Amino acid sequence: MSRKALEHKATLKPKFAVRAYNRCPLCGRVHSYMRKFNMCRCCFRKLAREGKIPGVVKASW
């Protein structure tokens, strides 16, 4: 889990635009963030399995 200070720091506007980074609003994870769903892959998988993300189904072929 991320510290509260780092979560707060991610919401602030950086001095330089290059320094901005995305963080999952649910768990605070920095890596493997998906912009389309605004969450990390871990939270995405969990919510998709529960059926809480509309239009997302488990692939089967």
Side-chain angles (χ1 to χ4, degrees):
M1 293 303 260
S2 62
R3 293 183 292 149
K4 289 288 182 187
L6 292 176
E7 290 178 11
H8 175 69
K9 183 180 173 185
T11 60
L12 300 176
K13 186 175 183 277
K15 185 175 181 181
F16 303 103
V18 177
R19 293 184 183 173
Y21 58 94
N22 295 317
R23 189 177 281 274
C24 178
L26 303 174
C27 66
R29 185 178 168 91
V30 180
H31 298 290
S32 67
Y33 177 85
M34 294 189 285
R35 290 182 183 184
K36 185 175 180 180
F37 298 101
N38 189 33
M39 65 182 74
C40 68
R41 65 173 177 83
C42 303
C43 295
F44 175 78
R45 283 193 71 211
K46 186 176 81 172
L47 294 175
R49 268 188 274 124
E50 295 172 2
K52 295 185 179 178
I53 302 176
V56 177
V57 293
K58 188 172 185 284
S60 60
W61 61 89

